[in-house]
Amino acid sequence: QKEVEQNSGPLSVPEGAIASLNCTYSDRGSQSFFWYRQYSGKSPELIMFIYSNGDKEDGRFTAQLNKASQYVSLLIRDSQPSDSATYLCAVRTGGYNKLIFGAGTRLAVHP
Amino acid sequence: NAGVMQNPRHLVRRRGQEARLRCSPMKGHSHVYWYRQLPEEGLKFMVYLQKENIIDESGMPKERFSAEFPKEGPSILRIQQVVRGDSAAYFCASSPDSGLMNTEAFFGQGTRLTVV
């Protein structure tokens, strides 16, 4: 079993719709959870992080964490073509920024 | 405030040569992390360093790879006798501290290594 699992996609959504990206992790000791966006050939850029159960909202993005189910998700409201990218879920378990990444989900937002 | 600086951005090496990748963390950051990304895959942790110390090298291949972060100057990831399988994007990240849950690591633009 992979430590962090994501559906590879591509996830295709129409412009203006809600995109839902999911991630599961295996280590119950995981403490912090990160969503990165990566455009092709570019470096990962942090969208948001969450470490408490529940929802965390930032603009069009909402991260949801359920530690009992070992599940974290990212919702993107009002999806735009510029949101088309690979979204990486990352989990931090230890006391420093050693991140375990999933393989990423490709999102395609079509006009 | 400049971000994490990596150089070179692109590096081509012939099989058997050495590759040196450099990373200058953000100002005020003393923690450096190296990750490798193979084509169509997620990032894999390689090593975590503080000034003059390797803290966690659990992701480093046992042979040919080494990393350092000297007291002065950038962090260096060194790959000796490169092989085609070393072709990847190598990302460096830095953070100001390590212990708080809500601290993030900032990534550099990466070095794309191609072994021919």
Side-chain angles (χ1 to χ4, degrees), chain A residues 31-32 34 36 38 41-44 46 49 51 88 92 95-104 106, chain B residues 33 35 37 41-43 45 48 56 58 91 95 97-105 107-109 112:
Chain A
Q31 299 172 335
S32 305
F34 302 79
Y36 284 86
Q38 186 176 31
K42 303 296 184 182
S43 64
L46 182 69
F49 62 85
Y51 52 87
L88 301 169
R92 189 175 104 169
Y96 48 88
N97 273 311
K98 175 182 179 180
L99 301 177
I100 309 299
F101 282 85
R106 283 180 294 145
Chain B
Y33 307 79
Y35 291 82
Q37 186 174 33
E41 293 188 15
L43 282 75
F45 169 81
Y48 162 43
D56 182 343
S58 58
F91 291 99
S95 66
D97 57 45
S98 63
L100 299 177
M101 284 197 296
N102 61 348
T103 57
E104 62 175 285
F107 281 85
Q109 291 301 306
R112 274 125 187 109

Side-chain angles (χ1 to χ4, degrees), chain A residues 30-89:
Chain A
S30 300
Q31 299 172 335
S32 305
F33 307 86
F34 302 79
W35 282 100
Y36 284 86
R37 177 174 62 196
Q38 186 176 31
Y39 293 109
S40 181
K42 303 296 184 182
S43 64
E45 53 178 324
L46 182 69
I47 298 174
M48 60 192 310
F49 62 85
I50 186 169
Y51 52 87
S52 298
N53 272 328
D55 295 359
K56 179 180 179 182
E57 186 174 317
D58 184 359
R60 295 188 296 115
F61 300 95
T62 299
Q64 299 174 317
L65 174 61
N66 184 327
K67 289 187 178 179
S69 300
Q70 296 175 246
Y71 175 91
V72 59
S73 65
L74 179 71
L75 300 177
I76 307 174
R77 289 181 298 281
D78 190 23
S79 296
Q80 301 297 310
S82 59
D83 294 327
S84 298
T86 297
Y87 289 79
L88 301 169
C89 171

Side-chain angles (χ1 to χ4, degrees), chain A residues 10-29:
Chain A
L11 173 65
S12 182
V13 300
E15 185 175 357
I18 296 176
S20 178
L21 303 159
N22 305 315
C23 173
T24 58
Y25 59 95
S26 60
D27 188 343
R28 285 194 173 274

